[in-house]
């Protein structure tokens, strides 16, 4: 059962700053034992700004550089207590050309709960959201999502990719104009082609998420909302909140990236695939 939460008031997004938001509080259960936080596991190489020589490029770097490519100048990373290798590596953000701030939490019900911990810092800001362990194209993905949000006035704009295994992905049903009609969580069978892995949203959705997590109905139905059918680890999934937002009347739009792919490095098999794909540059 999806809680019934009223739709927050929207405001003009033209002057609202866009900030990056990254949930990095997970335990990487599918990769354990693992030597570090998966967000800072090297996947490929990048040329050093000062020396021009190749150096390791960690997983979360790919997401953060997409923020920068969209003109975003600051981002919040929500990390779990103990994952100090993330701020130790990225520090204030100079390595990726962004100003980074870290919000440290003790535990979480899942990604929606994790990202809501940044709520006090998101007032009147639009959010560019992405998972740090999903590598995807195109490089200008967030620039396209921001442009679509400004053009349509949508509360949320989802970036869609062609999904190769719908059983482990949130599939999106949208019309010819990109208007989202439904979010289908990890269906066993489906005729849908595209799923989402990145998004841009307005303060209206940040407010909706905040209310959703605190609603009595959400807590009463948490066992139904947070389960392995919605999330492989049994956590509360962002897709559940998106479904509730649709039901409440929020406007969800989408942008399809038909020629780009994604890799979720959360499993050993896909991590190995990513390491093979992002080879060192030729000397």
């Amino acid at each position: 059962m999806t809680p019934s939460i009223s739709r927050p008031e929207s405001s003009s997004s033209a002057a609202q700053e866009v900030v990056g938001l990254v949930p990095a509080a997970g335990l990487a259960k599918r990769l354990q034992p693992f030597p570090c936080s998966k967000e800072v596991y090297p996947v490929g190489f990048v040329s050093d700004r000062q020396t021009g020589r190749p150096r390791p490029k960690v997983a979360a770097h790919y997401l953060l550089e997409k923020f920068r490519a969209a003109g975003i100048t600051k981002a919040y990373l929500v990390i779990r207590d103990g994952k100090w290798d993330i701020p130790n590596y990225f520090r204030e953000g100079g390595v990726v050309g962004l100003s980074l701030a870290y919000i440290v939490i003790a535990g979480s019900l899942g990604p929606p709960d994790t990202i809501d911990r940044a709520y006090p810092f998101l007032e009147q800001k639009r959010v560019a959201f992405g998972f740090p362990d999903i590598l995807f194209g195109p490089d200008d993905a967030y620039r396209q999502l921001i442009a679509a949000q400004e053009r349509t006035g949508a509360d949320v704009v989802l970036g869609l990719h062609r999904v190769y295994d719908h059983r482990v992905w949130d599939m999106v049903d949208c019309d010819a104009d990109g208007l989202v009609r439904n979010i289908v969580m990890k269906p066993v069978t489906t005729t849908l082609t595209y799923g989402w892995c990145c998004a841009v949203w307005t303060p209206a959705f940040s407010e909706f998420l905040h209310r959703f997590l605190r609603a009595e109905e959400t807590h009463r139905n948490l066992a139904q909302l947070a389960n392995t059918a919605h999330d492989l680890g049994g956590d509360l999934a962002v897709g559940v909140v998106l479904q509730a937002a649709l039901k409440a009347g929020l406007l969800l739009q989408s942008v399809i990236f038909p020629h780009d792919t994604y890799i979720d490095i959360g499993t050993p098999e896909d991590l190995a695939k990513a390491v093979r794909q992002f080879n060192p540059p030729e000397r």
Side-chain angles (χ1 to χ4, degrees):
M1 179 181 295
T2 303
S4 177
I5 313 295
S6 61
R7 185 194 193 286
E9 292 296 323
S10 297
S11 58
S12 173
S13 62
Q16 291 170 343
E17 179 186 12
V18 183
V19 298
L21 181 57
V22 182
L27 295 173
K29 296 176 183 177
R30 294 176 292 173
L31 290 172
Q32 296 302 328
F34 205 61
C36 62
S37 297
K38 62 182 174 180
E39 293 84 358
V40 292
Y41 188 82
V43 182
F45 286 75
V46 65
S47 295
D48 186 272
R49 290 183 175 184
Q50 294 182 340
T51 67
R53 299 180 62 184
R55 60 174 176 77
K57 184 175 183 179
V58 302
H61 192 143
Y62 292 90
L63 174 64
L64 296 174
E65 70 181 358
K66 285 180 173 59
F67 290 162
R68 189 184 71 241
I72 296 168
T73 61
K74 64 183 70 169
Y76 297 97
L77 284 78
V78 187
I79 67 173
R80 183 185 294 271
D81 184 17
K83 298 182 72 170
W84 306 122
D85 51 354
I86 298 175
N88 281 343
Y89 179 82
F90 286 113
R91 298 187 179 273
E92 73 279 2
V95 68
V96 289
L98 295 173
S99 295
L100 300 180
Y102 303 90
I103 300 168
V104 183
I105 64 176
S108 173
L109 296 173
D113 186 27
T114 298
I115 61 182
D116 184 61
R117 307 300 179 89
Y119 175 77
F121 306 96
L122 301 179
E123 185 177 4
Q124 296 307 308
K125 292 181 176 65
R126 287 179 289 172
V127 169
F129 172 79
F131 296 99
D133 53 354
I134 299 180
L135 314 182
F136 62 91
D139 292 340
D140 69 342
Y142 287 103
R143 188 178 298 277
Q144 292 191 49
L145 296 181
I146 292 168
Q149 191 281 317
E150 293 175 348
R151 183 178 66 253
T152 64
D155 300 300
V156 182
V157 181
L158 301 176
L160 307 187
H161 292 77
R162 189 179 299 274
V163 169
Y164 54 82
D165 187 356
H166 52 75
R167 297 170 299 175
V168 297
W169 215 262
D170 297 351
M171 306 301 292
V172 180
D173 178 18
C174 56
D175 67 16
D177 296 320
L179 182 66
V180 176
R181 296 180 293 211
N182 194 16
I183 309 288
V184 183
M185 307 287 292
K186 300 169 181 58
V188 176
T189 60
T190 185
T191 60
L192 298 175
T193 303
Y194 295 98
W196 76 277
C197 68
C198 57
V200 165
W201 64 68
T202 69
F205 182 74
S206 294
E207 179 66 25
F208 178 87
L209 170 62
H210 190 65
R211 293 184 191 178
F212 178 90
L213 291 173
R214 282 151 184 77
E216 290 184 11
E217 193 174 352
T218 299
H219 289 275
R220 189 166 56 249
N221 297 312
L222 191 58
Q224 295 172 273
L225 298 172
N227 58 59
T228 54
H230 293 159
D231 179 271
L232 296 180
D235 293 331
L236 184 64
V238 178
V240 169
V241 186
L242 292 172
Q243 287 178 325
L246 275 172
K247 183 178 179 181
L250 271 70
L251 178 62
L252 274 64
Q253 195 70 27
S254 65
V255 174
I256 294 176
F257 303 123
H259 306 299
D260 293 275
T261 59
Y262 67 90
I263 304 176
D264 178 353
I265 67 165
T267 66
E269 296 79 14
D270 282 337
L271 177 58
K273 178 181 177 181
V275 171
R276 288 194 301 269
Q277 179 173 325
F278 295 91
N279 291 321
E282 294 183 2
R283 298 184 178 227

